[in-house]
Amino acid sequence: GSLMCIGSEQHLRFRYGNAYQVDVTMEDMQEEKQNGESMQAIKEWFIKTFKGSIVLEDQSLSAKFRIPKADNLTLGAAFAKIESALISLRITEYSLSEMTLEQIFIHFARQQKEETGSVAGLDVDEKVYRKDDL
């Protein structure tokens, strides 16, 4: 492996935490078709309103989005935009937060390529001896 980042927690979050995460729960419409249409409307709104946003998870009544901090988008501005659409999108609850250090590390781990080949000092054909064999 290789070292991807080093620094204090605050430095790593500032440098690599370039997005907000939003967890959304919508009103249960009691019919699966209506729930699907409502969730689709929520996803389309987030993608249209926050350029470059992506859907991280999508379940029947909840979804997670990653919103980039593009164009100096502040937490307060993102909060205000979501608040203005709560009723029309039938969102019952949501959370908006900066990326956690754990989410940043998970992002790095997903980008990592698996190492293949032999490791120096370890030969897979090498016979393993136990203490009793000697």
Side-chain angles (χ1 to χ4, degrees), residues 71-84:
D71 302 324
N72 295 321
L73 179 68
T74 64
L75 195 60
F79 181 79
K81 287 182 180 186
I82 295 169
E83 279 289 314
S84 70

Side-chain angles (χ1 to χ4, degrees), residues 18-32:
N18 56 356
Y20 299 116
Q21 181 166 313
V22 183
D23 298 349
V24 175
T25 304
M26 63 173 234
E27 178 183 339
D28 188 354
M29 306 297 287
Q30 302 301 321
E31 289 187 30
E32 192 171 328

